[in-house]
């Protein structure tokens, strides 16, 4: 037995060690490819089971890698709260690359949490740390992030220009020149065209056609929307049409040309380029802003001949809607992924936690169910037996009261009419139930069929409605009790239902509540409730006599 126990302990240790080794290997592989292939890193990280059980150092690396991958892929970082302890861990560590990138990741996470001021503070600290480490790439990168936040989040173009100029002073880059030109254009700075031309010159030297097309299209839009230099915007757009390999880019350029020619008053040229753009986008999925511009331009061409206009606010609104929807969708997708991951982790934890208790809980539950079922069954059976015995006793007493009159009248000479009337009604009632016929053939004390029949009635196996014929009993009530039924029906027939009238007849015949319960196959509480209902309908007091009230003149 001891050998089996030792074997089990050793196997468990080895299994845990193997799992730990697998997770460590996956983390190392993800760390090795994170800078060049974030998709592969995410796939490796997704293969780690139960990341919340990782050792502290590995958990910090796991959180850092996931946040880095989300940042590179442009996915939502709203759920990446693990970057906060990971930031503290790596800033205090010796890995300079992860330490500097941690500032970027924390600032981006704070932006997703709408904490813009805190994010700017983190970026400033990161820039200082990168400057101390002489890492020009991350200096420029963080200054660029800061400038973009000023442009697109805070709309503070002055500070954005200052941040861009600081970055360019460290290293001139076509992307920085382009962003700086956009910021200056939005501010109305005359130097905007210089930096836009410089960015186009630098990207042209690299022969990067895709980026060149992107820069030219934005430059043309800036010249048209902000600088109002339509001639130059047309020249840039026509250069772009000769370079753009993508029909969608050409179509957007045609819309810029359309607006330029509209503002220049050349409606024929505007209509030509609008038709060209519409034809190119006919087979493509249109953005809301593109569709709006086409409709507005066509309306201006058709109904406006000599008026200027400006669509900058409309375009900004459409772009902001698109960006907000994209961010919302990305956030929702990330939340759903996180919820699913957390649900799976919680499910696994719950299963593992309950494995040792499942058998005990099952046995306890079974014991409670069996014991409770037996208890309720025995108690119910006992109550039913007691009730059946009481009902049989009551029915036997009714039977004895109904039959003793004939035997005792000659002996005792009892001529009391009231007693005879009560016995007479009981006899007729029990005859309808079929009990008197059984008694007539054999003695009651020895008649098993009588007991079975009585039991059948008391157990509600035989419905009283099918045995009692109240249409025959009502005349008997009238004859014996001075027209009680007729008087009741005349005065309260529209108020009381049939069952309530029948109950009143039994009360008039001086049946007790228990006897009424046996005869009508209703429980004693039900009889009491029916009496209460009758009193309410007749406007009586709670303890007032029902029969006496009905017989009142």
């Amino acid at each position: 037995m001891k050998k089996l126990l030792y074997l089990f302990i050793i196997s468990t240790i080895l299994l845990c060690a193997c799992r730990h080794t697998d997770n460590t290997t996956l983390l190392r592989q993800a760390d090795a490819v994170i800078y060049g292939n974030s998709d592969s890193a995410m796939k490796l990280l997704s293969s780690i089971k139960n990341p919340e059980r990782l050792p502290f150092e590995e958990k910090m690396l796991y959180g850092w890698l996931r946040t880095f991958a989300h940042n590179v892929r442009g996915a939502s970082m709203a759920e990446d709260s693990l970057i906060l302890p990971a930031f503290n861990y790596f800033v205090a560590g010796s890995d300079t690359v992860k330490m500097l990138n941690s500032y970027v990741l924390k600032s981006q996470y704070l932006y997703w949490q709408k904490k813009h001021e805190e994010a700017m503070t983190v970026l400033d600290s990161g820039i200082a740390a990168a400057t101390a480490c002489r890492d020009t790439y991350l200096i420029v990168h963080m200054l660029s992030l800061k400038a973009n936040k000023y442009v697109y989040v805070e709309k503070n173009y002055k500070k954005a220009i200052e941040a861009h100029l600081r970055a360019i002073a460290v290293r001139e880059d076509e992307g920085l020149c382009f962003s700086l030109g956009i910021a200056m254009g939005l501010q109305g700075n005359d130097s905007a065209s210089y930096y836009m031309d410089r960015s186009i010159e630098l990207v042209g030297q690299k022969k990067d056609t895709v980026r060149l097309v992107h820069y030219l299209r934005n430059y043309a839009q800036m010249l048209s929307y902000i600088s109002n230099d339509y001639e130059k915007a047309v020249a840039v757009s026509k250069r772009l049409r000769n370079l753009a390999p993508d029909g969608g880019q050409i179509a957007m350029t045609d819309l810029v040309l359309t607006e330029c020619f509209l503002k220049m008053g050349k409606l024929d040229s505007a209509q030509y380029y609008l038709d060209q753009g519409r034809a190119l986008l006919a087979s493509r999925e249109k953005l809301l802003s593109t569709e709006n511009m086409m409709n507005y331009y066509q309306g201006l061409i058709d109904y406006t001949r000599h008026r200027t206009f400006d669509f900058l606010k409309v375009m900004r609104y459409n772009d902001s809607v698109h960006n907000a929807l994209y961010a919302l969708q990305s956030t929702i997708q990330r939340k759903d992924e996180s919820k699913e991951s957390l649900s799976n982790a919680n499910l696994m934890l719950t299963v593992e936690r309950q494995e040792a208790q499942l058998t005990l809980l099952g046995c306890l539950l079974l014991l409670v169910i069996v014991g409770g079922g037996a208890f309720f069954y025995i108690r119910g059976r006992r109550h039913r037996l007691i009730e059946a015995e009481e009902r049989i006793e009551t029915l036997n007493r009714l039977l004895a009261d109904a039959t003793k009159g004939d035997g005792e009248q000659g002996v005792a000479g009892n001529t009391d009419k009231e007693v005879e009337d009560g016995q007479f009604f009981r006899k007729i009632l029990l005859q309808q139930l079929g009990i008197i016929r059984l008694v007539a053939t054999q003695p009651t004390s020895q008649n098993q069929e009588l007991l079975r029949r009585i039991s059948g009635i008391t157990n509600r196996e035989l419905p009283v409605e099918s045995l009692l014929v109240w249409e025959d009993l009502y005349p008997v009530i009238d004859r014996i009790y001075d027209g009680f039924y007729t008087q009741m029906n005349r005065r309260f027939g529209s108020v009381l239902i049939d069952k309530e009238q029948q109950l009143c007849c039994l009360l008039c015949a001086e049946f007790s509540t228990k006897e009424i319960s046996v005869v009508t196959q209703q429980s004693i509480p039900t009889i009491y409730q029916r009496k209460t209902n009758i009193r309410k309908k007749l406007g009586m007091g709670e303890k007032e006599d029902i029969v006496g009230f009905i017989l009142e003149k």
Side-chain angles (χ1 to χ4, degrees):
M1 188 67 182
K2 290 184 177 180
K3 291 182 178 180
L4 291 175
L5 179 61
Y6 292 150
L7 181 61
F8 173 76
I9 295 173
I10 293 172
S11 300
T12 304
I13 294 174
L14 290 175
L15 181 62
C16 294
C18 291
R19 181 178 295 181
H20 173 71
T21 302
D22 292 340
N23 290 339
T24 303
T25 302
L26 290 171
L27 280 173
R28 288 177 179 174
Q29 292 175 351
D31 191 17
V33 301
I34 189 68
Y35 298 104
N37 193 337
S38 60
D39 291 334
S40 298
M42 277 300 300
K43 188 174 181 180
L44 291 169
L45 293 173
S46 300
S47 301
I48 297 177
K49 297 180 180 180
N50 300 326
E52 67 281 352
R53 295 186 176 183
L54 292 171
F56 177 75
E57 293 79 4
E58 294 185 0
K59 186 185 294 186
M60 295 299 98
L61 178 59
Y62 173 84
W64 191 94
L65 293 174
R66 281 184 63 89
T67 308
F68 189 92
H70 291 151
N71 183 46
V72 173
R73 299 165 74 190
S76 170
M77 299 170 64
E79 301 293 323
D80 291 323
S81 58
L82 197 57
I83 189 58
L84 297 178
F87 170 82
N88 296 329
Y89 174 78
F90 285 106
V91 166
S94 58
D95 191 331
T96 304
V97 175
K98 283 187 171 58
M99 181 267 290
L100 295 178
N101 276 287
S102 294
Y103 288 98
V104 176
L105 298 180
K106 183 178 180 179
S107 68
Q108 293 294 85
Y109 170 76
L110 292 173
Y111 267 108
W112 279 97
Q113 298 295 324
K114 309 297 184 184
K115 299 178 180 179
H116 299 158
E117 292 184 3
E118 294 182 33
M120 283 295 189
T121 302
V122 172
L123 278 178
D124 289 336
S125 300
I127 293 169
T131 302
C133 295
R134 298 181 181 180
D135 190 327
T136 57
Y137 172 80
L138 283 175
I139 293 174
V140 171
H141 179 57
M142 283 188 271
L143 284 170
S144 178
L145 283 175
K146 188 175 179 181
N148 287 332
K149 301 304 180 187
Y150 280 133
V151 172
Y152 299 108
V153 178
E154 300 184 13
K155 303 294 188 292
N156 191 333
Y157 306 122
K158 181 179 179 181
K159 288 186 177 181
I161 292 171
E162 293 174 357
H164 277 124
L165 289 173
R166 284 181 61 190
I168 291 175
V170 176
R171 188 186 72 248
E172 187 181 40
D173 178 80
E174 67 273 7
L176 291 172
C177 292
F178 172 77
S179 298
L180 178 57
I182 294 294
M184 287 182 168
L186 292 172
Q187 190 194 34
N189 194 311
D190 294 337
S191 299
S193 294
Y194 167 79
Y195 284 102
M196 293 298 289
D197 290 333
R198 181 58 179 164
S199 66
I200 292 170
E201 178 185 352
L202 292 173
V203 79
Q205 294 174 359
K206 295 184 178 180
K207 298 182 180 180
D208 189 344
T209 305
V210 175
R211 184 170 291 187
L212 177 60
V213 168
H214 175 69
Y215 288 176
L216 287 171
R217 180 171 65 82
N218 283 273
Y219 188 22
Q221 289 177 328
M222 187 188 76
L223 291 169
S224 175
Y225 303 149
I226 300 174
S227 303
N228 297 327
D229 191 348
Y230 307 128
E231 295 289 347
K232 190 171 183 179
V234 169
V236 173
S237 298
K238 288 183 176 180
R239 178 185 175 186
L240 174 59
R241 290 186 96 254
N242 296 328
L243 289 174
D246 181 22
Q249 292 280 3
I250 297 176
M252 293 299 296
T253 304
D254 288 340
L255 292 179
V256 176
L257 287 168
T258 299
E259 181 171 346
C260 289
F261 283 119
L262 277 170
K263 291 182 177 180
M264 294 167 65
K266 299 178 180 180
L267 298 183
D268 293 338
S269 298
Q271 184 68 65
Y272 170 79
Y273 284 108
L274 179 61
D275 293 339
Q276 291 288 318
R278 182 172 288 155
L280 287 171
L281 291 177
S283 59
R284 295 171 176 266
E285 181 179 359
K286 300 182 182 69
L287 293 174
L288 178 64
S289 57
T290 306
E291 190 71 23
N292 286 343
M293 281 192 294
M294 286 184 174
N295 294 330
Y296 291 151
Y297 290 163
Q298 188 63 58
L300 287 170
I301 292 172
D302 291 340
Y303 302 108
T304 305
R305 303 293 298 177
H306 307 290
R307 191 178 302 168
T308 60
F309 54 90
D310 187 2
F311 282 104
L312 179 59
K313 292 183 179 180
V314 175
M315 292 183 62
R316 283 180 178 174
Y317 170 76
N318 290 334
D319 287 339
S320 66
V321 170
H322 178 266
N323 293 334
L325 289 175
Y326 175 80
L328 178 61
Q329 290 175 349
S330 180
T331 302
I332 292 173
Q333 182 178 0
R334 282 281 296 111
K335 285 184 177 180
D336 290 340
E337 291 175 356
S338 298
K339 287 180 180 178
E340 184 178 0
S341 177
L342 289 173
S343 297
N344 292 333
N346 289 333
L347 180 60
M348 293 182 67
L349 285 173
T350 302
V351 170
E352 292 178 0
R353 189 176 299 166
Q354 293 180 348
E355 281 179 352
Q357 304 173 357
L358 188 59
T359 304
L360 179 60
L361 290 177
C363 292
L364 182 60
L365 181 61
L366 181 62
L367 180 62
V368 171
I369 292 175
V370 172
F375 170 75
F376 286 112
Y377 173 77
I378 294 172
R379 189 180 69 171
R381 185 174 178 82
R382 181 173 176 273
H383 287 335
R384 287 194 298 272
L385 287 174
I386 294 173
E387 184 180 354
E389 289 175 358
E390 291 179 352
R391 286 178 174 269
I392 290 172
E393 182 182 351
T394 302
L395 198 55
N396 281 327
R397 187 170 61 252
L398 278 172
L399 183 60
D401 291 343
T403 56
K404 72 180 180 180
D406 295 338
E408 294 180 356
Q409 186 173 357
V411 177
N414 188 357
T415 61
D416 186 83
K417 187 174 185 306
E418 183 178 349
V419 174
E420 290 179 358
D421 290 342
Q423 293 172 347
F424 178 69
F425 180 72
R426 281 170 168 76
K427 184 181 294 185
I428 293 175
L429 188 66
L430 295 176
Q431 279 178 343
Q432 288 195 1
L433 293 175
I435 295 177
I436 295 297
R437 290 193 293 273
L438 294 174
V439 176
T441 58
Q442 296 181 19
T444 301
S445 60
Q446 300 175 0
N447 194 335
Q448 296 299 322
E449 180 64 20
L450 171 62
L451 296 177
R452 185 195 67 77
R453 186 62 177 267
I454 292 174
S455 178
I457 294 174
T458 58
N459 290 334
R460 303 179 186 180
E461 297 171 1
L462 299 176
V464 170
E465 289 79 0
S466 65
L467 299 175
L468 292 177
V469 182
W470 278 96
E471 296 300 326
D472 296 337
L473 293 173
Y474 291 144
V476 177
I477 290 291
D478 276 343
R479 186 172 71 251
I480 296 175
Y481 299 105
D482 300 327
F484 175 81
Y485 171 73
T486 300
Q487 185 176 350
M488 175 183 64
N489 190 48
R490 176 172 52 80
R491 295 181 61 191
F492 306 111
S494 61
V495 177
L496 301 177
I497 62 175
D498 291 341
K499 289 186 179 297
E500 291 171 343
Q501 293 183 30
Q502 294 163 12
L503 175 58
C504 291
C505 290
L506 294 174
L507 291 173
C508 181
E510 297 183 355
F511 276 66
S512 68
T513 301
K514 184 176 290 187
E515 290 171 345
I516 295 173
S517 171
V518 172
V519 171
T520 60
Q521 293 186 13
Q522 295 174 344
S523 66
I524 291 177
T526 302
I527 302 300
Y528 280 120
Q529 183 61 45
R530 285 192 177 276
K531 287 182 181 181
T532 302
N533 293 339
I534 291 171
R535 288 189 175 97
K536 287 182 179 179
K537 287 184 177 181
L538 300 183
M540 299 171 56
E542 292 184 1
K543 297 183 179 181
E544 193 173 352
D545 180 52
I546 295 174
V547 175
F549 181 85
I550 293 174
L551 292 175
E552 283 181 357
K553 298 296 184 179

